[in-house]
């Protein structure tokens, strides 16, 4: 059993756990967190404050540092992802930044790195129970879940990460480059487009899917005793339901059941941002070709089956700078423009997977 697992077991049971030997003039908690961060504070008092919960009276709490850390994390994550994905527009970058600094992500950081163990607070039983339950659920997961696992992430866990982030930023005298080098390792693994494509936000995706079919989708949670029951409706008809002790978890579970049912009936072709097709896909593909100085995309649209009504299918061709001809066929659509947009999305997605979007 690793050190943090032993520590967590003793923390939950109320037995003290052994800590790393503190540096001179540093408390055990400060020295332990510095070891996690691999950074020694010039002003240890900043980290002491970052680890002090507002429930402790007559002591500066982490609230101001939490506020600062929230802003700095958005800045640093935005800067990292801006450099890593030059082909993404504002909307795509915004979604990537959000998922990397969300309460869900930061709470998992607090559990994986063991930061919560060193929080100075009053003995708040309800808080301890929620954190313990979440930590156990995270340890049982095979991979991180960008949009919520079986237990809702307690906000206090994200608060700790943000307050420590603010303390580091103050300690390096607001040097963004130095700060990024220290804190980036704490946030890793960074969630990228591939992870979001594999695990889209289920409720947002279902809204998109059913809207394109002209249907109304919504989820309604109801409190029943000590649990919540969430029912998923399509045009007023119940299509899935799930119960959980937590309202958010019940909604997510019901959405995942509904999404699984939808995928069994028809294929779900989505981009990393959880949409059925990239918005304005033709424009994005056209702009990409202009930027790369490639020939403009050529679209060939025809009736999929003239004997069975008006369904169109489109093939788009792009010749890249290395003179390679790329051809992609979209799915059947009832309108020509929709068929072209679908084909454009397929091409854009294929070029991204082949790393053409990152080439100069």
């Amino acid at each position: 059993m690793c050190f943090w697992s032993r520590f967590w077991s003793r923390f939950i049971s109320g037995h003290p756990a052994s800590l790393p030997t503190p540096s001179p003039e540093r408390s055990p908690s400060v020295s332990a967190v510095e070891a996690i961060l691999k950074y020694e504070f010039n002003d240890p008092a900043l980290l002491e404050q970052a680890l002090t919960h507002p429930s402790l009276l007559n002591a500066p709490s982490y609230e101001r540092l939490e506020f600062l850390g929230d802003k700095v994390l958005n800045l640093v994550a935005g800067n990292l992802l801006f450099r890593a994905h030059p082909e993404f527009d504002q909307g795509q970058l915004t979604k990537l930044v959000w998922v990397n600094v969300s309460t869900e992500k930061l709470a998992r950081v607090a559990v994986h790195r063991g930061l919560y163990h060193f929080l100075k607070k009053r003995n708040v039983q309800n808080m301890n129970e929620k954190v313990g339950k979440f930590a156990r659920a995270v340890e049982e997961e095979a991979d991180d879940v960008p949009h919520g696992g079986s237990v809702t992430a307690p906000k206090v866990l994200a608060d700790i990460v943000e307050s420590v982030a603010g303390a580091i930023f103050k300690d390096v005298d607001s040097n963004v480059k130095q700060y990024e080098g220290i804190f980036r390792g704490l946030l890793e693994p960074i969630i990228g487009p591939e992870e979001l494509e594999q695990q889209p936000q289920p409720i947002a995706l279902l809204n998109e899917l059913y809207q394109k079919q002209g249907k109304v989708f919504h989820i309604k949670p109801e409190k029943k005793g000590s649990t919540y029951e969430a029912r998923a409706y399509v045009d007023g008809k119940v299509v899935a339901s799930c119960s959980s002790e937590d309202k958010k978890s019940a909604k997510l579970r019901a959405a995942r059941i509904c999404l699984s049912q939808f995928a069994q009936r028809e294929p779900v072709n989505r981009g990393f941002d959880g949409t059925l097709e990239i918005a304005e896909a033709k424009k994005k593909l056209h702009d990409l070709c202009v930027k790369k100085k490639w020939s403009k995309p050529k679209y060939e649209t025809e009736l999929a089956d003239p004997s069975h009504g008006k369904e169109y299918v489109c093939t788009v061709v792009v010749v890249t700078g290395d003179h390679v001809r790329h051809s992609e066929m979209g799915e059947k659509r009832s309108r020509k423009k929709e068929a072209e947009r679908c084909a454009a999305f397929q091409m854009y997605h294929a070029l991204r997977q082949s790393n053409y979007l990152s080439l100069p």
Side-chain angles (χ1 to χ4, degrees):
M1 183 183 292
C2 69
F3 170 80
W4 297 122
S5 296
R6 294 196 304 272
F7 190 102
W8 179 250
S9 298
R10 296 183 184 183
F11 181 88
I12 293 298
S13 64
H15 298 297
S18 58
L19 293 168
T21 303
S23 303
E25 301 181 0
R26 279 172 161 76
S27 69
S29 58
V30 165
S31 293
V33 173
E34 285 180 329
I36 294 170
L37 299 172
K38 299 180 181 178
Y39 172 74
E40 186 171 307
F41 274 73
N42 298 305
D43 182 6
L46 281 171
L47 187 52
E48 287 279 8
Q49 182 178 344
L51 299 173
T52 303
H53 190 265
S55 63
L56 277 187
L57 304 178
N58 303 320
S61 77
Y62 63 49
E63 290 177 313
R64 282 175 55 83
L65 290 173
E66 175 205 339
F67 167 83
L68 177 62
D70 173 62
K71 310 307 176 189
V72 176
L73 282 174
N74 274 276
L75 170 64
V76 172
N79 193 32
L80 285 171
L81 293 164
F82 182 85
R83 296 199 309 265
H85 301 285
E87 75 280 11
F88 287 169
D89 61 22
Q90 178 187 5
Q92 292 169 310
L93 287 172
T94 297
K95 290 176 180 178
L96 276 181
V97 170
W98 178 85
V99 78
N100 276 289
V101 298
S102 67
T103 297
E104 193 73 40
K105 168 69 174 181
L106 297 183
R108 279 175 162 73
V109 169
V111 170
H112 290 317
R113 309 301 183 188
L115 293 176
Y116 179 73
H117 306 320
F118 307 101
L119 180 66
K120 294 181 293 183
K121 58 179 177 52
R122 295 179 63 186
N123 188 20
V124 184
Q125 186 63 28
N126 187 44
M127 182 193 303
N128 291 342
E129 290 176 357
K130 287 183 177 179
V131 170
K133 187 175 182 179
F134 177 76
R136 288 189 292 271
V138 169
E139 290 172 357
E140 291 172 0
E141 292 172 353
D143 301 296
D144 273 357
V145 183
H147 301 295
S150 59
V151 178
T152 299
K155 184 177 180 297
V156 65
L157 292 177
D159 291 346
I160 298 167
V161 178
E162 290 174 343
S163 64
V164 170
I168 296 173
F169 191 68
K170 286 284 291 181
D171 200 62
V172 298
D173 198 22
S174 306
N175 185 318
V176 174
K177 187 174 182 179
Q178 183 182 358
Y179 171 84
E180 182 180 301
I182 298 167
F183 210 80
R184 178 174 181 173
L186 199 64
L187 289 180
E188 290 181 340
I190 303 295
I191 299 172
E194 291 77 15
E195 289 78 15
L196 283 189
E197 183 175 345
Q198 293 171 5
Q199 299 189 66
Q201 212 292 341
I203 298 176
L205 179 56
L206 284 164
N207 278 320
E208 177 79 16
L209 293 169
Y210 282 112
Q211 185 179 17
K212 288 184 177 294
Q213 293 185 348
K215 299 177 180 179
V216 177
F217 170 82
H218 75 281
I219 296 180
K220 183 179 179 181
E222 292 184 2
K223 186 73 179 291
K224 293 193 174 182
S226 60
T227 63
Y228 287 88
E229 181 180 5
R231 295 182 179 181
Y233 294 84
V234 176
D235 284 348
K237 181 181 178 181
V238 178
V239 294
S241 65
C242 191
S243 298
S244 175
E245 294 180 3
D246 180 82
K247 180 164 64 174
K248 182 179 177 182
S249 296
K251 291 177 65 177
L252 281 171
R253 290 179 184 180
R256 288 184 175 121
I257 293 172
C258 190
L259 185 59
S260 176
Q261 293 173 350
F262 189 101
Q264 291 175 6
R265 294 193 304 270
E266 52 187 292
V268 178
N269 185 18
R270 59 179 182 266
F272 86 87
D273 52 357
T275 57
L276 183 64
E277 296 170 3
I278 293 180
E280 300 181 358
K282 286 187 67 177
K283 182 179 184 302
K284 288 179 182 290
L285 185 60
H286 176 272
D287 291 347
L288 174 68
C289 291
V290 171
K291 179 181 178 181
K292 302 290 187 180
K293 297 181 180 180
W294 300 340
S295 60
K296 293 182 180 180
K298 293 184 179 180
Y299 296 90
E300 298 179 0
T301 306
E302 59 185 3
L303 286 171
D305 187 350
S307 62
H308 291 83
K310 290 187 177 181
E311 277 194 322
Y312 297 91
V313 64
C314 177
T315 300
V316 60
V317 175
V318 169
V319 179
T320 52
D322 50 4
H323 305 294
V324 175
R325 183 180 184 274
H326 300 265
S327 177
E328 290 290 334
M329 178 181 289
E331 297 175 354
K332 297 177 183 179
R333 291 292 185 266
S334 59
R335 297 173 58 188
K336 288 184 178 180
K337 288 185 178 180
E338 291 179 357
E340 290 177 356
R341 186 174 67 168
C342 183
F345 166 71
Q346 298 278 42
M347 176 62 74
Y348 192 93
H349 187 62
L351 290 171
R352 180 168 66 81
Q353 288 185 320
S354 301
N355 294 320
Y356 276 97
L357 271 65
S358 60
L359 296 175

